[in-house]
mmCIF file of all heavy atoms in Angstrom:
data_model
loop_
_atom_site.group_PDB
_atom_site.id
_atom_site.type_symbol
_atom_site.label_atom_id
_atom_site.label_comp_id
_atom_site.label_asym_id
_atom_site.label_seq_id
_atom_site.Cartn_x
_atom_site.Cartn_y
_atom_site.Cartn_z
ATOM 1 N N GLY A 1478 -4.392 -4.950 2.192
ATOM 2 C CA GLY A 1478 -5.628 -4.433 1.646
ATOM 3 C C GLY A 1478 -5.694 -4.549 0.144
ATOM 4 O O GLY A 1478 -6.732 -4.345 -0.463
ATOM 5 N N ASN A 1610 -14.847 -12.434 -3.270
ATOM 6 C CA ASN A 1610 -14.658 -11.526 -2.133
ATOM 7 C C ASN A 1610 -13.386 -11.889 -1.386
ATOM 8 O O ASN A 1610 -12.951 -13.034 -1.413
ATOM 9 C CB ASN A 1610 -15.857 -11.586 -1.194
ATOM 10 C CG ASN A 1610 -17.047 -10.831 -1.777
ATOM 11 O OD1 ASN A 1610 -16.909 -10.160 -2.805
ATOM 12 N ND2 ASN A 1610 -18.185 -10.947 -1.148
ATOM 13 N N LYS A 1611 -12.836 -10.924 -0.685
ATOM 14 C CA LYS A 1611 -11.574 -11.166 0.017
ATOM 15 C C LYS A 1611 -11.748 -12.242 1.085
ATOM 16 O O LYS A 1611 -12.719 -12.240 1.828
ATOM 17 C CB LYS A 1611 -11.092 -9.884 0.689
ATOM 18 C CG LYS A 1611 -10.619 -8.886 -0.305
ATOM 19 C CD LYS A 1611 -9.729 -7.842 0.361
ATOM 20 C CE LYS A 1611 -9.382 -6.782 -0.638
ATOM 21 N NZ LYS A 1611 -10.569 -5.977 -1.012
ATOM 22 N N VAL A 1618 -14.381 -7.322 9.283
ATOM 23 C CA VAL A 1618 -15.634 -6.676 9.713
ATOM 24 C C VAL A 1618 -16.047 -7.090 11.123
ATOM 25 O O VAL A 1618 -16.980 -6.517 11.686
ATOM 26 C CB VAL A 1618 -16.810 -6.910 8.730
ATOM 27 C CG1 VAL A 1618 -16.442 -6.413 7.338
ATOM 28 C CG2 VAL A 1618 -17.260 -8.358 8.704
ATOM 29 N N LYS A 1623 -5.653 -9.194 13.358
ATOM 30 C CA LYS A 1623 -4.623 -8.655 14.250
ATOM 31 C C LYS A 1623 -3.599 -7.882 13.432
ATOM 32 O O LYS A 1623 -2.841 -8.459 12.653
ATOM 33 C CB LYS A 1623 -3.911 -9.790 15.003
ATOM 34 C CG LYS A 1623 -4.819 -10.503 16.001
ATOM 35 C CD LYS A 1623 -5.021 -9.695 17.291
ATOM 36 C CE LYS A 1623 -5.959 -10.387 18.252
ATOM 37 N NZ LYS A 1623 -7.260 -9.723 18.411
ATOM 38 N N TYR A 1624 -3.607 -6.583 13.611
ATOM 39 C CA TYR A 1624 -2.609 -5.728 12.978
ATOM 40 C C TYR A 1624 -1.389 -5.665 13.888
ATOM 41 O O TYR A 1624 -1.454 -6.123 15.041
ATOM 42 C CB TYR A 1624 -3.195 -4.328 12.745
ATOM 43 C CG TYR A 1624 -4.406 -4.363 11.833
ATOM 44 C CD1 TYR A 1624 -5.675 -4.569 12.354
ATOM 45 C CD2 TYR A 1624 -4.265 -4.235 10.458
ATOM 46 C CE1 TYR A 1624 -6.784 -4.645 11.526
ATOM 47 C CE2 TYR A 1624 -5.369 -4.304 9.627
ATOM 48 C CZ TYR A 1624 -6.629 -4.512 10.156
ATOM 49 O OH TYR A 1624 -7.717 -4.599 9.330
ATOM 50 N N VAL A 1626 -0.255 -3.313 15.607
ATOM 51 C CA VAL A 1626 -0.528 -2.575 16.843
ATOM 52 C C VAL A 1626 -1.385 -3.396 17.815
ATOM 53 O O VAL A 1626 -1.482 -3.062 18.988
ATOM 54 C CB VAL A 1626 -1.196 -1.218 16.495
ATOM 55 C CG1 VAL A 1626 -2.647 -1.406 16.081
ATOM 56 C CG2 VAL A 1626 -1.042 -0.202 17.623
ATOM 57 N N ASP A 1627 -1.980 -4.471 17.329
ATOM 58 C CA ASP A 1627 -2.823 -5.310 18.201
ATOM 59 C C ASP A 1627 -2.034 -6.446 18.854
ATOM 60 O O ASP A 1627 -2.592 -7.231 19.625
ATOM 61 C CB ASP A 1627 -3.976 -5.912 17.386
ATOM 62 C CG ASP A 1627 -4.841 -4.839 16.750
ATOM 63 O OD1 ASP A 1627 -4.965 -3.755 17.350
ATOM 64 O OD2 ASP A 1627 -5.380 -5.079 15.659
ATOM 65 N N THR A 1678 1.138 0.598 30.153
ATOM 66 C CA THR A 1678 0.169 0.749 29.061
ATOM 67 C C THR A 1678 0.568 1.953 28.205
ATOM 68 O O THR A 1678 1.328 2.818 28.641
ATOM 69 C CB THR A 1678 -1.266 1.001 29.590
ATOM 70 O OG1 THR A 1678 -1.303 2.289 30.219
ATOM 71 C CG2 THR A 1678 -1.709 -0.071 30.567
ATOM 72 N N TYR A 1679 -0.010 1.989 27.007
ATOM 73 C CA TYR A 1679 0.309 3.086 26.104
ATOM 74 C C TYR A 1679 -0.127 4.417 26.687
ATOM 75 O O TYR A 1679 0.586 5.415 26.617
ATOM 76 C CB TYR A 1679 -0.357 2.872 24.736
ATOM 77 C CG TYR A 1679 -0.140 4.051 23.803
ATOM 78 C CD1 TYR A 1679 1.125 4.290 23.263
ATOM 79 C CD2 TYR A 1679 -1.165 4.934 23.495
ATOM 80 C CE1 TYR A 1679 1.352 5.382 22.427
ATOM 81 C CE2 TYR A 1679 -0.951 6.029 22.661
ATOM 82 C CZ TYR A 1679 0.314 6.252 22.143
ATOM 83 O OH TYR A 1679 0.531 7.330 21.326
ATOM 84 N N LYS A 1684 0.950 9.810 28.529
ATOM 85 C CA LYS A 1684 0.725 10.865 29.538
ATOM 86 C C LYS A 1684 2.049 11.274 30.181
ATOM 87 O O LYS A 1684 2.335 12.459 30.375
ATOM 88 C CB LYS A 1684 -0.220 10.344 30.634
ATOM 89 C CG LYS A 1684 -1.647 10.282 30.223
ATOM 90 C CD LYS A 1684 -2.365 11.587 30.516
ATOM 91 C CE LYS A 1684 -2.589 11.696 32.020
ATOM 92 N NZ LYS A 1684 -3.640 12.635 32.354
ATOM 93 N N HIS A 1749 2.455 9.414 3.717
ATOM 94 C CA HIS A 1749 1.705 8.203 3.395
ATOM 95 C C HIS A 1749 0.382 8.167 4.154
ATOM 96 O O HIS A 1749 -0.631 7.766 3.628
ATOM 97 C CB HIS A 1749 2.514 6.961 3.765
ATOM 98 C CG HIS A 1749 3.786 6.813 2.992
ATOM 99 N ND1 HIS A 1749 4.944 7.476 3.327
ATOM 100 C CD2 HIS A 1749 4.070 6.102 1.887
ATOM 101 C CE1 HIS A 1749 5.895 7.154 2.460
ATOM 102 N NE2 HIS A 1749 5.393 6.329 1.582
ATOM 103 N N ALA A 1750 0.447 8.574 5.434
ATOM 104 C CA ALA A 1750 -0.744 8.594 6.283
ATOM 105 C C ALA A 1750 -1.512 7.278 6.242
ATOM 106 O O ALA A 1750 -2.708 7.255 5.989
ATOM 107 C CB ALA A 1750 -1.645 9.768 5.897
ATOM 108 N N MET A 1752 -3.605 4.399 7.760
ATOM 109 C CA MET A 1752 -4.529 4.545 8.894
ATOM 110 C C MET A 1752 -3.937 3.955 10.173
ATOM 111 O O MET A 1752 -4.169 4.464 11.259
ATOM 112 C CB MET A 1752 -5.893 3.898 8.589
ATOM 113 C CG MET A 1752 -6.772 4.743 7.685
ATOM 114 S SD MET A 1752 -6.955 6.455 8.242
ATOM 115 C CE MET A 1752 -8.290 6.281 9.404
ATOM 116 N N SER A 1832 2.501 8.076 17.518
ATOM 117 C CA SER A 1832 1.272 8.868 17.480
ATOM 118 C C SER A 1832 1.065 9.311 16.033
ATOM 119 O O SER A 1832 1.970 9.239 15.209
ATOM 120 C CB SER A 1832 1.415 10.104 18.369
ATOM 121 O OG SER A 1832 2.386 10.978 17.829
ATOM 122 N N ARG A 1833 -0.141 9.784 15.737
ATOM 123 C CA ARG A 1833 -0.380 10.313 14.386
ATOM 124 C C ARG A 1833 0.564 11.472 14.096
ATOM 125 O O ARG A 1833 1.065 11.636 12.993
ATOM 126 C CB ARG A 1833 -1.852 10.752 14.258
ATOM 127 C CG ARG A 1833 -2.226 11.412 12.950
ATOM 128 C CD ARG A 1833 -1.920 10.560 11.734
ATOM 129 N NE ARG A 1833 -2.644 9.313 11.722
ATOM 130 C CZ ARG A 1833 -2.329 8.281 10.952
ATOM 131 N NH1 ARG A 1833 -1.316 8.344 10.112
ATOM 132 N NH2 ARG A 1833 -3.025 7.163 11.013
ATOM 133 N N ASP A 2052 -13.028 -8.296 -9.310
ATOM 134 C CA ASP A 2052 -13.541 -7.337 -8.334
ATOM 135 C C ASP A 2052 -12.423 -6.812 -7.436
ATOM 136 O O ASP A 2052 -12.469 -5.670 -6.962
ATOM 137 C CB ASP A 2052 -14.655 -7.963 -7.479
ATOM 138 C CG ASP A 2052 -15.374 -6.894 -6.664
ATOM 139 O OD1 ASP A 2052 -15.940 -5.974 -7.278
ATOM 140 O OD2 ASP A 2052 -15.322 -6.958 -5.417
ATOM 141 N N SER A 2056 -11.651 -2.880 -6.985
ATOM 142 C CA SER A 2056 -11.585 -2.170 -5.699
ATOM 143 C C SER A 2056 -10.241 -1.466 -5.534
ATOM 144 O O SER A 2056 -10.164 -0.391 -4.946
ATOM 145 C CB SER A 2056 -11.887 -3.099 -4.526
ATOM 146 O OG SER A 2056 -10.806 -3.956 -4.277
ATOM 147 N N GLN A 2057 -9.180 -2.040 -6.081
ATOM 148 C CA GLN A 2057 -7.884 -1.355 -6.031
ATOM 149 C C GLN A 2057 -7.914 -0.064 -6.842
ATOM 150 O O GLN A 2057 -7.341 0.947 -6.442
ATOM 151 C CB GLN A 2057 -6.774 -2.264 -6.572
ATOM 152 C CG GLN A 2057 -6.265 -3.265 -5.570
ATOM 153 C CD GLN A 2057 -5.757 -2.580 -4.318
ATOM 154 O OE1 GLN A 2057 -4.759 -1.882 -4.335
ATOM 155 N NE2 GLN A 2057 -6.448 -2.752 -3.214
ATOM 156 N N GLU A 2059 -10.619 1.773 -7.554
ATOM 157 C CA GLU A 2059 -11.450 2.749 -6.819
ATOM 158 C C GLU A 2059 -10.614 3.414 -5.725
ATOM 159 O O GLU A 2059 -10.622 4.633 -5.559
ATOM 160 C CB GLU A 2059 -12.654 2.048 -6.170
ATOM 161 C CG GLU A 2059 -13.681 1.530 -7.158
ATOM 162 C CD GLU A 2059 -14.624 0.490 -6.531
ATOM 163 O OE1 GLU A 2059 -14.488 0.187 -5.324
ATOM 164 O OE2 GLU A 2059 -15.472 -0.023 -7.262
ATOM 165 N N GLY A 2060 -9.895 2.568 -4.983
ATOM 166 C CA GLY A 2060 -9.070 3.100 -3.904
ATOM 167 C C GLY A 2060 -7.987 4.033 -4.429
ATOM 168 O O GLY A 2060 -7.688 5.065 -3.829
ATOM 169 N N ASN A 2085 -1.710 16.395 11.970
ATOM 170 C CA ASN A 2085 -2.753 15.374 12.098
ATOM 171 C C ASN A 2085 -3.707 15.554 10.915
ATOM 172 O O ASN A 2085 -3.455 16.375 10.021
ATOM 173 C CB ASN A 2085 -3.456 15.514 13.453
ATOM 174 C CG ASN A 2085 -4.017 14.184 13.962
ATOM 175 O OD1 ASN A 2085 -4.639 13.434 13.208
ATOM 176 N ND2 ASN A 2085 -3.814 13.901 15.235
ATOM 177 N N MET A 2092 -9.306 12.814 1.413
ATOM 178 C CA MET A 2092 -10.682 12.729 0.911
ATOM 179 C C MET A 2092 -11.580 12.032 1.924
ATOM 180 O O MET A 2092 -11.179 11.092 2.591
ATOM 181 C CB MET A 2092 -10.719 11.933 -0.391
ATOM 182 C CG MET A 2092 -10.035 12.604 -1.554
ATOM 183 S SD MET A 2092 -10.880 14.079 -2.142
ATOM 184 C CE MET A 2092 -12.216 13.319 -3.058
ATOM 185 N N ARG A 2093 -12.800 12.503 1.968
ATOM 186 C CA ARG A 2093 -13.801 11.894 2.843
ATOM 187 C C ARG A 2093 -15.027 11.496 2.022
ATOM 188 O O ARG A 2093 -15.153 11.864 0.851
ATOM 189 C CB ARG A 2093 -14.187 12.876 3.948
ATOM 190 C CG ARG A 2093 -13.024 13.137 4.922
ATOM 191 C CD ARG A 2093 -13.383 14.193 5.944
ATOM 192 N NE ARG A 2093 -12.278 14.455 6.860
ATOM 193 C CZ ARG A 2093 -12.110 13.849 8.048
ATOM 194 N NH1 ARG A 2093 -12.969 12.928 8.451
ATOM 195 N NH2 ARG A 2093 -11.084 14.149 8.819
ATOM 196 N N ASN A 2095 -18.102 12.520 1.826
ATOM 197 C CA ASN A 2095 -18.945 13.526 1.174
ATOM 198 C C ASN A 2095 -18.296 14.143 -0.061
ATOM 199 O O ASN A 2095 -18.962 14.798 -0.848
ATOM 200 C CB ASN A 2095 -19.324 14.631 2.180
ATOM 201 C CG ASN A 2095 -18.093 15.321 2.737
ATOM 202 O OD1 ASN A 2095 -17.030 14.715 2.843
ATOM 203 N ND2 ASN A 2095 -18.217 16.582 3.085
ATOM 204 N N THR A 2097 -16.436 12.263 -2.219
ATOM 205 C CA THR A 2097 -16.100 11.187 -3.152
ATOM 206 C C THR A 2097 -17.052 11.172 -4.344
ATOM 207 O O THR A 2097 -18.259 11.084 -4.173
ATOM 208 C CB THR A 2097 -16.145 9.836 -2.409
ATOM 209 O OG1 THR A 2097 -15.183 9.880 -1.363
ATOM 210 C CG2 THR A 2097 -15.822 8.685 -3.339
ATOM 211 N N GLU B 1014 -9.025 9.110 33.642
ATOM 212 C CA GLU B 1014 -8.835 9.941 32.444
ATOM 213 C C GLU B 1014 -8.493 9.133 31.200
ATOM 214 O O GLU B 1014 -8.442 9.666 30.093
ATOM 215 C CB GLU B 1014 -7.668 10.913 32.682
ATOM 216 C CG GLU B 1014 -8.073 12.195 33.355
ATOM 217 C CD GLU B 1014 -6.872 13.116 33.469
ATOM 218 O OE1 GLU B 1014 -6.147 13.278 32.474
ATOM 219 O OE2 GLU B 1014 -6.658 13.637 34.584
ATOM 220 N N PRO B 1016 -8.639 7.424 27.958
ATOM 221 C CA PRO B 1016 -9.683 7.433 26.926
ATOM 222 C C PRO B 1016 -10.305 6.047 26.773
ATOM 223 O O PRO B 1016 -9.618 5.031 26.926
ATOM 224 C CB PRO B 1016 -8.923 7.833 25.659
ATOM 225 C CG PRO B 1016 -7.701 8.545 26.140
ATOM 226 C CD PRO B 1016 -7.343 7.870 27.434
ATOM 227 N N TRP B 1019 -8.316 3.481 24.730
ATOM 228 C CA TRP B 1019 -7.197 2.732 25.326
ATOM 229 C C TRP B 1019 -7.692 1.832 26.435
ATOM 230 O O TRP B 1019 -7.092 0.788 26.696
ATOM 231 C CB TRP B 1019 -6.092 3.693 25.789
ATOM 232 C CG TRP B 1019 -5.508 4.393 24.600
ATOM 233 C CD1 TRP B 1019 -5.704 5.696 24.239
ATOM 234 C CD2 TRP B 1019 -4.710 3.805 23.562
ATOM 235 N NE1 TRP B 1019 -5.066 5.963 23.045
ATOM 236 C CE2 TRP B 1019 -4.450 4.829 22.613
ATOM 237 C CE3 TRP B 1019 -4.195 2.521 23.345
ATOM 238 C CZ2 TRP B 1019 -3.692 4.600 21.461
ATOM 239 C CZ3 TRP B 1019 -3.436 2.310 22.195
ATOM 240 C CH2 TRP B 1019 -3.189 3.333 21.273
ATOM 241 N N ARG B 1022 -8.955 -1.266 24.612
ATOM 242 C CA ARG B 1022 -7.843 -1.998 23.990
ATOM 243 C C ARG B 1022 -6.912 -2.621 25.034
ATOM 244 O O ARG B 1022 -6.528 -3.789 24.918
ATOM 245 C CB ARG B 1022 -7.018 -1.066 23.083
ATOM 246 C CG ARG B 1022 -7.721 -0.700 21.780
ATOM 247 C CD ARG B 1022 -6.836 0.175 20.897
ATOM 248 N NE ARG B 1022 -5.565 -0.472 20.590
ATOM 249 C CZ ARG B 1022 -5.391 -1.348 19.598
ATOM 250 N NH1 ARG B 1022 -6.387 -1.653 18.807
ATOM 251 N NH2 ARG B 1022 -4.212 -1.911 19.401
ATOM 252 N N GLU B 1023 -6.550 -1.847 26.037
ATOM 253 C CA GLU B 1023 -5.490 -2.315 26.933
ATOM 254 C C GLU B 1023 -6.001 -2.903 28.234
ATOM 255 O O GLU B 1023 -5.341 -3.746 28.816
ATOM 256 C CB GLU B 1023 -4.504 -1.162 27.213
ATOM 257 C CG GLU B 1023 -3.804 -0.691 25.940
ATOM 258 C CD GLU B 1023 -2.613 0.210 26.208
ATOM 259 O OE1 GLU B 1023 -2.771 1.160 26.998
ATOM 260 O OE2 GLU B 1023 -1.535 -0.043 25.633
ATOM 261 N N THR B 1028 -9.184 -5.463 20.920
ATOM 262 C CA THR B 1028 -8.352 -4.658 20.023
ATOM 263 C C THR B 1028 -9.025 -4.341 18.683
ATOM 264 O O THR B 1028 -8.397 -3.766 17.798
ATOM 265 C CB THR B 1028 -7.001 -5.352 19.761
ATOM 266 O OG1 THR B 1028 -7.272 -6.673 19.283
ATOM 267 C CG2 THR B 1028 -6.164 -5.429 21.025
ATOM 268 N N LYS B 1031 -9.863 0.813 16.890
ATOM 269 C CA LYS B 1031 -8.533 1.224 16.449
ATOM 270 C C LYS B 1031 -8.187 2.672 16.777
ATOM 271 O O LYS B 1031 -9.037 3.555 16.757
ATOM 272 C CB LYS B 1031 -8.421 1.060 14.929
ATOM 273 C CG LYS B 1031 -8.618 -0.371 14.448
ATOM 274 C CD LYS B 1031 -7.579 -1.317 15.026
ATOM 275 C CE LYS B 1031 -7.609 -2.683 14.386
ATOM 276 N NZ LYS B 1031 -7.633 -3.774 15.347
ATOM 277 N N TYR B 1032 -6.900 2.867 17.005
ATOM 278 C CA TYR B 1032 -6.329 4.203 17.139
ATOM 279 C C TYR B 1032 -5.788 4.638 15.780
ATOM 280 O O TYR B 1032 -5.115 3.878 15.105
ATOM 281 C CB TYR B 1032 -5.168 4.173 18.139
ATOM 282 C CG TYR B 1032 -4.264 5.392 18.070
ATOM 283 C CD1 TYR B 1032 -4.720 6.621 18.513
ATOM 284 C CD2 TYR B 1032 -2.975 5.305 17.555
ATOM 285 C CE1 TYR B 1032 -3.898 7.744 18.442
ATOM 286 C CE2 TYR B 1032 -2.149 6.420 17.488
ATOM 287 C CZ TYR B 1032 -2.620 7.633 17.934
ATOM 288 O OH TYR B 1032 -1.817 8.744 17.848
ATOM 289 N N SER B 1033 -6.087 5.876 15.421
ATOM 290 C CA SER B 1033 -5.413 6.403 14.230
ATOM 291 C C SER B 1033 -5.019 7.869 14.366
ATOM 292 O O SER B 1033 -3.960 8.255 13.894
ATOM 293 C CB SER B 1033 -6.268 6.216 12.976
ATOM 294 O OG SER B 1033 -5.548 6.592 11.826
ATOM 295 N N CYS B 1034 -5.874 8.710 14.998
ATOM 296 C CA CYS B 1034 -5.518 10.134 15.090
ATOM 297 C C CYS B 1034 -5.493 10.637 16.533
ATOM 298 O O CYS B 1034 -4.780 11.573 16.851
ATOM 299 C CB CYS B 1034 -6.487 10.983 14.269
ATOM 300 S SG CYS B 1034 -8.109 11.150 15.040
ATOM 301 N N MET B 1036 -7.565 12.434 18.014
ATOM 302 C CA MET B 1036 -8.121 13.786 18.155
ATOM 303 C C MET B 1036 -9.524 13.931 17.578
ATOM 304 O O MET B 1036 -9.926 15.021 17.179
ATOM 305 C CB MET B 1036 -7.205 14.791 17.451
ATOM 306 C CG MET B 1036 -5.941 15.110 18.228
ATOM 307 S SD MET B 1036 -4.919 16.278 17.314
ATOM 308 C CE MET B 1036 -5.983 17.717 17.258
ATOM 309 N N LEU B 1038 -10.628 13.034 14.760
ATOM 310 C CA LEU B 1038 -10.571 13.514 13.377
ATOM 311 C C LEU B 1038 -10.815 12.427 12.340
ATOM 312 O O LEU B 1038 -11.058 12.731 11.177
ATOM 313 C CB LEU B 1038 -9.188 14.129 13.097
ATOM 314 C CG LEU B 1038 -8.802 15.361 13.919
ATOM 315 C CD1 LEU B 1038 -7.307 15.652 13.778
ATOM 316 C CD2 LEU B 1038 -9.622 16.562 13.482
ATOM 317 N N ILE B 1069 -16.930 -3.194 18.260
ATOM 318 C CA ILE B 1069 -17.164 -4.055 17.086
ATOM 319 C C ILE B 1069 -17.317 -5.525 17.512
ATOM 320 O O ILE B 1069 -18.116 -6.257 16.937
ATOM 321 C CB ILE B 1069 -16.016 -3.879 16.049
ATOM 322 C CG1 ILE B 1069 -16.304 -4.629 14.751
ATOM 323 C CG2 ILE B 1069 -14.663 -4.315 16.599
ATOM 324 C CD1 ILE B 1069 -17.281 -3.964 13.838
ATOM 325 N N GLN B 1081 -22.594 -5.803 8.939
ATOM 326 C CA GLN B 1081 -21.384 -6.598 8.654
ATOM 327 C C GLN B 1081 -21.597 -7.479 7.418
ATOM 328 O O GLN B 1081 -20.700 -7.620 6.581
ATOM 329 C CB GLN B 1081 -21.028 -7.470 9.869
ATOM 330 C CG GLN B 1081 -20.453 -6.658 11.033
ATOM 331 C CD GLN B 1081 -20.391 -7.456 12.326
ATOM 332 O OE1 GLN B 1081 -21.329 -8.184 12.669
ATOM 333 N NE2 GLN B 1081 -19.296 -7.307 13.055
ATOM 334 N N ILE B 1085 -19.510 -7.486 3.785
ATOM 335 C CA ILE B 1085 -18.868 -8.628 3.107
ATOM 336 C C ILE B 1085 -19.426 -8.770 1.690
ATOM 337 O O ILE B 1085 -18.672 -8.952 0.731
ATOM 338 C CB ILE B 1085 -19.058 -9.924 3.916
ATOM 339 C CG1 ILE B 1085 -18.288 -9.805 5.232
ATOM 340 C CG2 ILE B 1085 -18.585 -11.136 3.112
ATOM 341 C CD1 ILE B 1085 -18.360 -11.027 6.117
ATOM 342 N N ASN B 1088 -17.842 -6.525 -0.545
ATOM 343 C CA ASN B 1088 -16.387 -6.667 -0.536
ATOM 344 C C ASN B 1088 -15.744 -5.331 -0.164
ATOM 345 O O ASN B 1088 -14.842 -4.840 -0.837
ATOM 346 C CB ASN B 1088 -15.905 -7.119 -1.925
ATOM 347 C CG ASN B 1088 -14.558 -7.821 -1.887
ATOM 348 O OD1 ASN B 1088 -14.109 -8.294 -0.844
ATOM 349 N ND2 ASN B 1088 -13.898 -7.881 -3.027
ATOM 350 N N PRO B 1090 -13.950 -4.092 2.732
ATOM 351 C CA PRO B 1090 -12.652 -3.799 3.357
ATOM 352 C C PRO B 1090 -11.476 -3.978 2.405
ATOM 353 O O PRO B 1090 -11.471 -4.902 1.603
ATOM 354 C CB PRO B 1090 -12.534 -4.828 4.484
ATOM 355 C CG PRO B 1090 -13.874 -5.442 4.636
ATOM 356 C CD PRO B 1090 -14.573 -5.284 3.330
ATOM 357 N N GLN B 1091 -10.541 -3.073 2.507
ATOM 358 C CA GLN B 1091 -9.233 -3.331 1.888
ATOM 359 C C GLN B 1091 -8.301 -3.717 3.027
ATOM 360 O O GLN B 1091 -8.319 -4.846 3.463
ATOM 361 C CB GLN B 1091 -8.769 -2.127 1.066
ATOM 362 C CG GLN B 1091 -9.631 -2.000 -0.199
ATOM 363 C CD GLN B 1091 -9.078 -1.047 -1.232
ATOM 364 O OE1 GLN B 1091 -7.880 -0.801 -1.311
ATOM 365 N NE2 GLN B 1091 -9.959 -0.520 -2.061
ATOM 366 N N CYS B 1092 -7.529 -2.770 3.567
ATOM 367 C CA CYS B 1092 -6.680 -3.178 4.696
ATOM 368 C C CYS B 1092 -7.534 -3.493 5.918
ATOM 369 O O CYS B 1092 -7.126 -4.235 6.803
ATOM 370 C CB CYS B 1092 -5.636 -2.120 5.013
ATOM 371 S SG CYS B 1092 -6.247 -0.732 5.991
ATOM 372 N N GLY B 1093 -8.719 -2.895 5.996
ATOM 373 C CA GLY B 1093 -9.645 -3.211 7.078
ATOM 374 C C GLY B 1093 -9.487 -2.370 8.326
ATOM 375 O O GLY B 1093 -10.338 -2.410 9.219
ATOM 376 N N TYR B 1094 -8.411 -1.604 8.407
ATOM 377 C CA TYR B 1094 -8.086 -0.940 9.676
ATOM 378 C C TYR B 1094 -9.169 0.043 10.104
ATOM 379 O O TYR B 1094 -9.468 0.160 11.291
ATOM 380 C CB TYR B 1094 -6.737 -0.228 9.551
ATOM 381 C CG TYR B 1094 -6.145 0.197 10.870
ATOM 382 C CD1 TYR B 1094 -5.461 -0.718 11.660
ATOM 383 C CD2 TYR B 1094 -6.270 1.504 11.323
ATOM 384 C CE1 TYR B 1094 -4.913 -0.335 12.878
ATOM 385 C CE2 TYR B 1094 -5.724 1.895 12.550
ATOM 386 C CZ TYR B 1094 -5.052 0.965 13.315
ATOM 387 O OH TYR B 1094 -4.509 1.346 14.514
ATOM 388 N N SER B 1123 -18.897 11.114 7.097
ATOM 389 C CA SER B 1123 -17.726 11.887 6.662
ATOM 390 C C SER B 1123 -16.696 12.091 7.760
ATOM 391 O O SER B 1123 -15.586 12.548 7.491
ATOM 392 C CB SER B 1123 -18.162 13.227 6.054
ATOM 393 O OG SER B 1123 -18.777 12.955 4.813
ATOM 394 N N ILE B 1126 -12.475 8.392 8.212
ATOM 395 C CA ILE B 1126 -11.531 8.359 7.079
ATOM 396 C C ILE B 1126 -11.218 6.914 6.709
ATOM 397 O O ILE B 1126 -11.057 6.054 7.585
ATOM 398 C CB ILE B 1126 -10.222 9.089 7.447
ATOM 399 C CG1 ILE B 1126 -10.488 10.588 7.658
ATOM 400 C CG2 ILE B 1126 -9.158 8.888 6.370
ATOM 401 C CD1 ILE B 1126 -9.268 11.362 8.140
ATOM 402 N N ARG B 1128 -8.239 5.480 4.269
ATOM 403 C CA ARG B 1128 -7.137 5.809 3.352
ATOM 404 C C ARG B 1128 -7.095 4.863 2.160
ATOM 405 O O ARG B 1128 -6.520 5.174 1.125
ATOM 406 C CB ARG B 1128 -5.796 5.757 4.098
ATOM 407 C CG ARG B 1128 -5.412 7.062 4.728
ATOM 408 C CD ARG B 1128 -5.241 8.177 3.725
ATOM 409 N NE ARG B 1128 -3.873 8.342 3.267
ATOM 410 C CZ ARG B 1128 -3.536 9.051 2.204
ATOM 411 N NH1 ARG B 1128 -4.476 9.624 1.466
ATOM 412 N NH2 ARG B 1128 -2.269 9.176 1.867
ATOM 413 N N CYS B 1129 -7.675 3.669 2.325
ATOM 414 C CA CYS B 1129 -7.710 2.745 1.185
ATOM 415 C C CYS B 1129 -8.772 3.162 0.179
ATOM 416 O O CYS B 1129 -8.825 2.621 -0.919
ATOM 417 C CB CYS B 1129 -7.970 1.324 1.652
ATOM 418 S SG CYS B 1129 -6.689 0.662 2.725
ATOM 419 N N TYR B 1132 -14.883 4.261 0.232
ATOM 420 C CA TYR B 1132 -16.138 5.007 0.402
ATOM 421 C C TYR B 1132 -17.268 4.565 -0.527
ATOM 422 O O TYR B 1132 -18.400 4.429 -0.074
ATOM 423 C CB TYR B 1132 -15.896 6.511 0.230
ATOM 424 C CG TYR B 1132 -14.858 7.121 1.152
ATOM 425 C CD1 TYR B 1132 -13.794 7.857 0.653
ATOM 426 C CD2 TYR B 1132 -14.945 6.974 2.543
ATOM 427 C CE1 TYR B 1132 -12.846 8.439 1.489
ATOM 428 C CE2 TYR B 1132 -14.000 7.548 3.385
ATOM 429 C CZ TYR B 1132 -12.948 8.273 2.847
ATOM 430 O OH TYR B 1132 -12.020 8.836 3.681
ATOM 431 N N ARG B 1134 -17.978 1.774 -1.815
ATOM 432 C CA ARG B 1134 -18.537 0.492 -1.382
ATOM 433 C C ARG B 1134 -19.233 0.626 -0.035
ATOM 434 O O ARG B 1134 -20.223 -0.055 0.230
ATOM 435 C CB ARG B 1134 -17.428 -0.567 -1.323
ATOM 436 C CG ARG B 1134 -17.029 -0.995 -2.721
ATOM 437 C CD ARG B 1134 -15.807 -1.862 -2.757
ATOM 438 N NE ARG B 1134 -15.393 -2.015 -4.140
ATOM 439 C CZ ARG B 1134 -15.440 -3.170 -4.816
ATOM 440 N NH1 ARG B 1134 -15.813 -4.279 -4.216
ATOM 441 N NH2 ARG B 1134 -15.082 -3.209 -6.087
#
Side-chain angles (χ1 to χ4, degrees):
Chain A
N1610 284 352
K1611 289 199 186 68
V1618 303
K1623 292 283 178 250
Y1624 299 88
V1626 75
D1627 301 329
T1678 67
Y1679 175 71
K1684 284 271 287 200
H1749 296 82
M1752 282 309 275
S1832 67
R1833 176 56 62 196
D2052 191 60
S2056 74
Q2057 279 303 292
E2059 291 163 1
N2085 208 315
M2092 293 292 283
R2093 293 175 181 267
N2095 59 331
T2097 299
Chain B
E1014 273 183 47
W1019 295 106
R1022 287 182 58 84
E1023 297 193 311
T1028 54
K1031 299 299 190 229
Y1032 164 71
S1033 186
C1034 74
M1036 284 179 63
L1038 297 167
I1069 187 77
Q1081 287 167 317
I1085 294 181
N1088 203 19
Q1091 289 193 26
C1092 80
Y1094 194 81
S1123 289
I1126 294 175
R1128 271 299 267 165
C1129 297
Y1132 303 126
R1134 286 171 190 247

